[in-house]
Structure formats: C-alpha cells, structure tokens
C-alpha cells in the first residue's frame, strides 16, 4: 500500500516540479538572474525550435508522467503487469532530461560569462525521476509474482 501511495504522490509532485525553478540564470551577476523552470524553458524552446521542443517535452513531461501513471495502474491491478518492460523504457527516457539539464549547467558555468545557480526545483524534479525509478524497481518483483500466479 505504501508503494501505491508513493506512486500516486508522484502524480502530484511532477507537475509541481515542472513549474518549480530549476535554476536561476543571467548573463552577468550584475544584471540579475531569471528563474528557469521546465515549463518556462519549454516555452522559450517552442519559440525558437519546435522540433527540439517536441522532443524535450516528451522526455521532460510525457515520459516520466506516463511511466508513473502506468506504474500506478499496474499497482492497482488496472493494467496488465506484462507492460512493465514498456514502463521501464519510459523511465530510462525520463532520466535523459536530468542528464541534459546537468550538462547544460556544466557547460554554462564553463563559459564564464553566464551565472547559473541551481534552484530547489532541480532537486525536486530529479528526486521525482529517481523516486519513479526506485518505485518501478520495487514493483518489479510484485509484477513477476502476478505473472507467475496469473
């Protein structure tokens, strides 16, 4: 029951993480810093490169949320546990965006002209993705038992 509740909590925490500030960035510290969230980053990306925005939207929003919804449905026996490998792949795709954000922060800090500060939303978003991964792994033995008995 605890796994089910934790999985359902992710369905609430993911949208919070999408709007939470991931980082504060600015050209130089004297010009002030703008807060960047997943949603504001996607909005700006849609204005400049729609194809890349579509890809990032899938990785940052749809993949983790679909994986979590699927996991919750499996846990509540509303979805066949044989779909667990598909949910596992969605989880791996969701991990890609955390890597990309870390890479962008590292690159921006290396340039030296920009100021980047990580914000609490980056930790929340990363925590949601990792929690989803852990919950998926914790659910795997249960799915295996259901396949054997069913």
């Amino acid at each position: 029951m605890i796994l089910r509740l934790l999985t359902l909590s992710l369905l609430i925490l993911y949208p919070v993480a999408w709007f939470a500030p991931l980082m504060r960035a600015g050209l130089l510290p004297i010009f002030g810093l703008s807060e960047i969230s997943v949603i504001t980053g996607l909005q700006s990306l849609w204005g400049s490169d729609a194809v890349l925005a579509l890809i990032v939207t899938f990785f940052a929003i749809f993949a983790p949320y679909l994986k979590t919804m699927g996991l919750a449905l499996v846990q509540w026996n509303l979805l066949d546990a044989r779909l667990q490998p598909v949910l596992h792949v969605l989880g791996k795709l969701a991990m890609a965006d955390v890597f990309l954000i870390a890479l962008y922060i590292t690159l921006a800090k290396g340039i030296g002209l920009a100021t980047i500060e990580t914000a609490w939303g980056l930790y929340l978003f990363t925590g949601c993705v990792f929690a989803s991964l852990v919950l998926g792994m914790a659910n795997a033995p249960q799915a295996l038992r259901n396949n054997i008995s069913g």
Side-chain angles (χ1 to χ4, degrees):
M1 186 62 157
I2 291 175
L3 289 178
R4 290 178 178 182
L5 293 175
L6 289 172
T7 302
L8 291 177
S9 71
L10 283 177
L11 295 175
I12 296 167
L13 289 174
Y14 266 124
V16 172
W18 296 331
F19 289 93
L22 297 174
M23 64 186 91
R24 288 179 275 291
L27 187 54
L28 294 172
I30 57 174
F31 294 119
L33 302 174
S34 300
E35 287 189 343
I36 299 168
S37 68
V38 171
I39 298 300
T40 59
L42 286 173
Q43 286 173 336
S44 117
L45 197 53
W46 276 103
S48 62
D49 189 344
V51 174
L52 183 58
L54 187 62
I55 293 167
V56 172
T57 299
F58 177 76
F59 286 141
I61 293 180
F62 291 116
Y65 208 72
L66 286 173
K67 187 236 180 188
T68 305
M69 283 181 13
L71 184 59
L73 291 172
V74 167
Q75 290 172 342
W76 291 91
N77 297 319
L78 298 172
L79 187 65
D80 192 343
R82 289 179 289 187
L83 289 175
Q84 198 80 357
V86 174
L87 299 177
H88 184 69
V89 169
L90 282 173
K92 285 186 177 193
L93 292 176
M95 292 298 290
D97 57 331
V98 174
F99 170 74
L100 289 175
I101 291 169
L103 181 63
Y104 292 147
I105 290 172
T106 303
L107 288 174
K109 283 186 173 185
I111 293 172
L113 296 177
T115 299
I116 304 272
E117 296 175 356
T118 56
W120 64 273
L122 180 62
Y123 302 109
L124 176 61
F125 187 62
T126 304
C128 286
V129 172
F130 283 132
S132 179
L133 177 69
V134 169
L135 288 170
M137 289 187 313
N139 193 62
Q142 177 187 353
L144 183 61
R145 283 192 303 272
N146 290 346
N147 281 341
I148 292 171
S149 64

